[in-house]
Amino acid sequence: MKKTKMSADSGRAGTLSFVHAADLHLDSPFTGISGIDPELGERLAKATFQAYEAIIELCMEEEVDFLLIAGDIYDSADKSLYAQVRFIEGLRKLETAGIQVFICHGNHDPLDGWSASLTWPENVHIMRGDRAEVVKFKKEGETAAVIVGMSYPTRHIMKNLVKNFPKKEGNWPFTIGLLHCSVGSNPEYASYAPCTLQDLRELNYDYWALGHIHTPSIVCKEAPVVIYPGNPQGRHPGENGARGCFVVDVSSGGDISTRFIETDSVRWHIREISIQGLEKEGELIESLQSQLDDIRENSGGNSVICSFVLKGRGPLHHILRQEGFIEDLLRLLREGETWSRQFIWVERIEDDTLFPVEREILLKREDFVGALVKIVEGLKTDEKSWNEFREVLSPLFDSRNGRKHIARIDDEEMNYLLQRAENILLDALLTEEDNEN
Amino acid sequence: MKINAIHIDGFGKFSSLSMEDLPSGLVVFTGANEAGKSTLFTFIRRMFFGIPNTRFCNLYPPLEGGKHGGRLAVIDSAGDRWVIERNAGRKEDVKVVLPDGNTGGRTELLKLLGHADRNVFENIYAFGLEELQSFETLNDQSINSKLYSAGTGVGVSISGLMNSISSIENNLYRPRGSKPLINELFREIGKTEVKIAELEGAQKKYDSLHFELEQKTLEIDQLKEKSQNLREKLSHIQNLLSVWKDWKILCESKTALESLPGLESFPEKGEEKLTRLQEIIEEIRNTISRLQQDLDKNAVKERSISPDESLLKQKDAVLELGSGIEKYRSEEKLLPSLEMNLRQEKAGLSELLLELGPAWDEKALERFDRSIPAKESVIQMRRSVDEIEDEIKETRNELQQILNSIERVLQENDLFEESLLVHRDQVIELGNGIEKYQADKDYLLSGTQELQDRKTELRETLSGLGEGWNENALALFEHSSPSKETIFRKRREMDEAEKTIERYCDRLELALGEIKEVCEEIEALKDKIEVYSTLPRPEELKQGLEAVSYLRVTYPLLREKEGELKSLEKEEMLFAALRPPKTEYEEGLPLWPAGMVLLAGCIGLVYESINGTLLSGLVIFLLLFATSAVYFLKATNKSSVHPAGEERLEDAESRKQKVQDSKEKLFREINALKASMKARAKKCGFEDISDPSVREQKADEMQRAMVELKTAWELRQREEKLQKKLDKLNASYIELKDTIRAQEAKQEEVLQEWKGWLISSGLSPELSPEHVLEILSAIRACLEKQKNINELEKQVKFKEATVKEYEEKAYSILEACRKPISGIALESEIAKLREDVSFAFSQAERVRKLEVESEGLNRKKEELEARLLEEKKTRDALAEKWTGWLGTYGLDPSLSVESVLEIFSVIRTCFDRQRAIRKLEEQIASSRKSIEAYEAKVAGVLQVCGRPLSGLSFDTQVEKLRSDLEKASDEARNLQQLKTKSEELNIELEAARDKYKEDAEELAVLLDSGSAETEEEFYENARFWAQRTGLENRKREAEQQIQRVSGSDDEYRLFVEELQASDPSGLKEENRRLEECLKSLEQDISDTIDRRGAIRNQIEQLERGSEGSLTRVMQESLLEELHEKSREWASLVLAREILAKAVKVYEKERQPAVIVEAQAFFSKITKGRYTRIYSPLNSTEIYVEDRNGRQKSIQELSRGTAEQLYLSLRFGFIREFGRHSESLPIVFDDVLVNFDPERCKSTCEAIKDLASDNQVFYFTCHPETVQMLVESFPETRAVDLDAV
């Protein structure tokens, strides 16, 4: 667990301190990674729990007053009892340490998604789902903070829940809003309980502990401080970079200082490598190895899942296109990796290298290759042929299993696949001489 | 590309066949069957593409020998020359020599061939009738795709690519497959899904388990309550049962109590008390009687004792005496021994004094100084006397040693002898000279011998030189180098002359051989010329040839004319039979015969000019030109007569007339032609106009004769040349002979000169130069030897002198030394002498050393003697001093130091003795005094006690006194004791009497308290009382027991009532029943608890079940893989689709290009009869359209036309292929056989078109075809394979 400061103000002279986490997604699987062997699978299956344990340890180490969890503790769609049990286990630890926990549920773990048989420890307060609930946190007999929160009663909440929240009252001390919602618009995430920053500001709270957006971000630095801590463990290639939670210290004067603490045990990396100027396979392997060394050095002891994207034009393009070459390369890079505490798993090598010949030149050719490229080019405007081409894919994509398990191909991807198809043909048809030209 | 040259090392019937400089256009290979057309055809194919892979192909082994294989030299479109070489029939064994001179292999060959393969080549470029007739070969998929790929400019087979894509695609996914990757993934995902679904049920199960758990807990609580109730009930019954015994006792006790007599009270332990009292009273009585008896006994004892009072009064004095008795006894015992000691000591002292001397008594002893300094001075004296004695002894020893040494030196000195030493130097020199003397002596011997040998040798050499040669002659002889030089020159001259002569002789011989050869050649030529002597004259032959060529030209004309005549006749007959015939010749005579004649003339002119007879050619030409001109004029005249505006009948008539006219005219012409031809034929030796074959035969004959004539002329020319050469050779022969003669004369001259020189040199004139040179070298050797001998002689003499000198010297010295000359060798004599001298020398050295030594020794002796004297003096002084010292002490002066020391020790002992005597005397005195005191004391005491001195020793009396005293004191003590005891007994007796009184009173009270008069009554009452208390105790115990079980008061009452109401067997029954109930209930509870435990376990298991996590991760991984693979599959499918579409487009756009080309060819070949070829899309069918727009399928075409169509299609392909790729040579194998002449001709034109871009090889066995092709292409190269 590494500590990174995101705010300058330090010193624990504050009267209040708490940890703000969200989107634990306990026990939800890693996606976008293929060819996992059981040993790696085991490691990945543990990762979200390890991150959660790191949060619990952090709370105890920092001796904070309470822990806030802003929804999506686990994916109720997974119906993982294990996740719920392990979650409560962690809460029990906090109970023994005398640390309170305030939880609001989000779209992935609405109130109705939890097992009825689980009993929450005494130190846990779960926000109601029917209205915003105001809870007072008492420290040494006095109300030290007011926490206002609301859970998702069911999964799909599309209305602005902030409207249900009461304004901060005059006699309230430090006030925290706890909610799983989308502030503003973020195209990457489904818009649950949408609201605006203005909505939040109007309530005059001191701190908004939000959840839902997985990338850690401080939405607003000035009062009210609005923070998405992100998920404590990235679970797919898109969730790369450090992941963790926030420790918030509030001084007696009401000054807020926040620290971002990394909690992830497995980190995703995507590296782009240009093949330009590389002449031999050995040079590419060397370059990949050096990237791996770099990642290993800079991962701070974390395990890493990384993908390489090969880009650019160069003589290696032809070699990369050879059947089985990339698989061999992968095997080579994975060779000797053991599942010790720190591992580096090269998840994939994506060949995005460009054809050595400019496509414009090919389009001008009056031969078979020209005809071929023109057909692909023509498809972009010819809707009928476009649909015909889509039709040839139906044996797989419209099969029962295909419909069930394979993502549909949208127009953009179709374009990409056509380009790929064209590359396959050009690779076979163009001679080396052509390539050199 | 074109084939420039073909070299066959060995292939089928060909071996070492070479065809160079093949033109780029058409090459016709002609030959009869089995001439090797197919072989050559196959050779070209194989050179390009190797041996086909089929097992049954003809390998064409080299039948005529040679290495199997060969080479093709080709020139590519850029004009570069390549050589393709294959050997030994191995498929891959191809060698390509590149234009730059490097060698390459298959790859380079493929590049050169523009990626055309065997299939394309064999079907499109190189084909025979068979391939031509099968259209299917054209439609071969690979050819098609080759053509398309030719368009792409790449060497990839589209169909191959398509197949490979399909196969990868199928490996990824097949809709109903199970093995492909995606299908497998689906299966796998399905399996995991099921597993996940199972795992997902966990939460539901968990909740239901929890519910069940609660239920069970509730159930357990209820059961427990029930069991509690039962247990209470059971314990109540068990309580009842447990107190039943007590209850019974209680009841019994109650009744028993009621039956006992009433007794209000009874002293506790009354019986016991009574008994004890009785016993005590008895005891007291006994005590009283015993005490009285004791009192009586004491009184008797007191009266019997009376102690000695006076003795007791002297008790202290007696005791004192007793304590002194031991001292007294020991002193008494010691006294005599002390007196004895004293006596001994005194005797000892007087003895010691006697020992010291008569003058010594105790007074002298007192006087003597025996202090330590006195003793020390004595000791010192002794030490100095000892030292001086030692020194004297030492000096004496040394002196003795010196004297001995001097004695020894004197003895040695007597042995020395010194006469030899005088000649020591000479003897040593002689000794050193011994070796040199010996060497000189040896040398003298050998030198004399050698000198003798040399001298004889020289003499022998000189005698070998010849007579008259002796040492004097030798000195006279001139052997300077100039004379030697002369000899060399002469010899060289002679050799040269001889060699020159030899050389000329060789040349002469060569010339003779050449002459002979030329003669022979001339002879042979003459024979050859003889053969040609019977040839006809050349003029005749020339005429004949002219005639033949005329005949050759006019014969077809004649035939034509005859044909025309026949047709005219036929027409005439037609006219005659039907109606006025209509002449075909509306335009009059045809003009072409005139052209033909003119052409024939031209050919004749060309032919003759080739043969070198331009004149006759011109004649023929003019003649034929005239004929054609005449004919032309006639023809034009005829055509100008136009029968315009006549009646139809008239028209027919006139036409008939015309036909007749023309027939006549033609007839005439024919006759004229025949006449002229006959005339020519006669010239050729024919009777009539001969057949063309006969004519040609004749022509050939004449041609041959012509050639032979030319050969004969050439031979003659050569003969003349040879004759000329012969003449030249003869001339040179004669010249050579003259030269030889001149050389011989010159040699003779040189010889004479030599002889002259020899004589002048005084040598025999018969000697050759070599000989003379030998003599010269021998003389030189002799001179050398002479010089050596002289040198030797000188040396020997010198040595002789040296030896003699040495010997003389030696004898003189020996004599001087007085050594006898014993007759042994001089050398050993001298050596001995030398040894003696060296011994004497060393002896002298030693004597000198001894002399020095004896001198030293004498000096030392004197010194020692002086020292001895001095020491003796010192000793005497010391003796004197000692005597003095003795005198002062009054001792005998003769006493030695040791005796004095002894006296010192004796004196000390005397003193010790004196002291001991004094001490003893004192002791004896004191002892006597104390004995007397003691005896007086004893006597006093005895007197006081009134006892007389019995005469016994004092100590015995004291002993007696002491024992008497002890006895008296014992008696007194016993009396005292008895008195005290009596008093005590009296007191005791009094006390016992009081006690007895008390106890009697107590007994009376006791009996009263037991409501008894007597003791017996008392005992009775006591028994009743005991019974009563026992019963009451039991009753109380039972009550307490019951109370303890039941509780107090009310509960007890109820309990007792219950006890009264129940009976034990009923209770026991109830108890058993309840116990059973409880047991089963408890079983139920434990079962339920177990069940609850199981549920808890299940819950715990569910809580710990992390299997789902891994499964989900694996599922996601599978889905991701599926995603990736589905995209991969999609790309492949799309690629295949794009490719298919591209092929379609290409077919659509490219096929017409082939067909347009083919169409042009087809139209040309069919002379425009068919104008279009077309092939509908998606069909391999080909249709043709004639100029009237009628469509025909291939089946509807005649065989010839169909073949022309196929040919056209191939031409089209070739054109199209050549546009994108290297154009290959085209090879046709007699494809025109089924074509009519006209189409044949037009096909030739088509081939001509094709030949502008591609090299064309045409194989045929038909001479007409050859002719036709040759006619079409004047530049054609025809190769006759028969002739190869």
Side-chain angles (χ1 to χ4, degrees), chain B residues 797-944:
Chain B
K797 265 176 203 153
F798 176 72
K799 290 285 167 194
E800 249 174 340
T802 323
V803 168
K804 204 173 262 173
E805 197 185 327
Y806 184 81
E807 276 173 2
E808 272 167 20
K809 211 173 165 187
Y811 286 128
S812 71
I813 283 170
L814 280 174
E815 217 172 315
C817 289
R818 288 181 304 271
K819 290 272 166 174
I821 294 156
S822 56
I824 50 164
L826 187 65
E827 310 74 294
S828 42
E829 201 86 54
I830 298 286
K832 203 172 158 243
L833 186 61
R834 193 167 60 168
E835 260 167 48
D836 289 347
V837 168
S838 73
F839 179 73
F841 181 72
S842 60
Q843 202 75 12
E845 195 72 10
R846 181 141 179 79
V847 167
R848 246 191 323 278
K849 261 188 211 160
L850 281 174
E851 269 167 13
V852 173
E853 211 178 306
S854 72
E855 245 169 73
L857 284 173
N858 281 332
R859 220 168 18 247
K860 211 165 183 187
K861 192 184 97 184
E862 275 159 33
E863 260 169 46
L864 282 175
E865 274 165 355
R867 208 165 75 194
L868 194 59
L869 254 167
E870 208 170 306
E871 276 165 2
K872 272 177 183 165
K873 242 180 250 169
T874 320
R875 195 181 58 182
D876 292 345
L878 268 176
E880 213 170 306
K881 202 178 168 188
W882 176 245
T883 332
W885 189 81
L886 284 176
T888 56
Y889 282 95
L891 290 169
D892 185 3
S894 66
L895 280 177
S896 70
V897 180
E898 271 78 25
S899 327
V900 173
L901 283 175
E902 185 81 1
I903 287 168
F904 269 105
S905 71
V906 170
I907 286 169
R908 195 191 295 137
T909 323
C910 287
F911 277 110
D912 287 348
R913 281 273 164 91
Q914 239 173 351
R915 217 162 29 244
I917 290 164
R918 260 170 226 149
K919 206 176 164 189
L920 278 171
E921 278 168 349
E922 270 164 38
Q923 269 180 357
I924 290 164
S926 80
S927 285
R928 275 200 186 116
K929 211 163 142 194
S930 85
I931 287 165
E932 275 161 21
Y934 190 77
E935 277 170 352
K937 221 171 182 182
V938 171
V941 171
L942 282 172
Q943 210 174 358
V944 173

Side-chain angles (χ1 to χ4, degrees), chain A residues 7-22:
Chain A
S7 167
D9 187 35
S10 63
R12 281 215 52 193
T15 53
L16 195 67
S17 69
F18 59 89
V19 169
H20 170 201

Side-chain angles (χ1 to χ4, degrees), chain A residues 27 89 115 117 368 413 429, chain B residues 152 154 207 1104 1109 1127 1150:
Chain A
D27 207 14
E89 240 170 53
S115 164
S117 312
F368 191 75
E413 195 178 11
L429 292 174
Chain B
T152 67
V154 296
D207 287 347
R1104 294 276 143 237
S1109 320
R1127 267 56 187 173
R1150 291 286 166 190

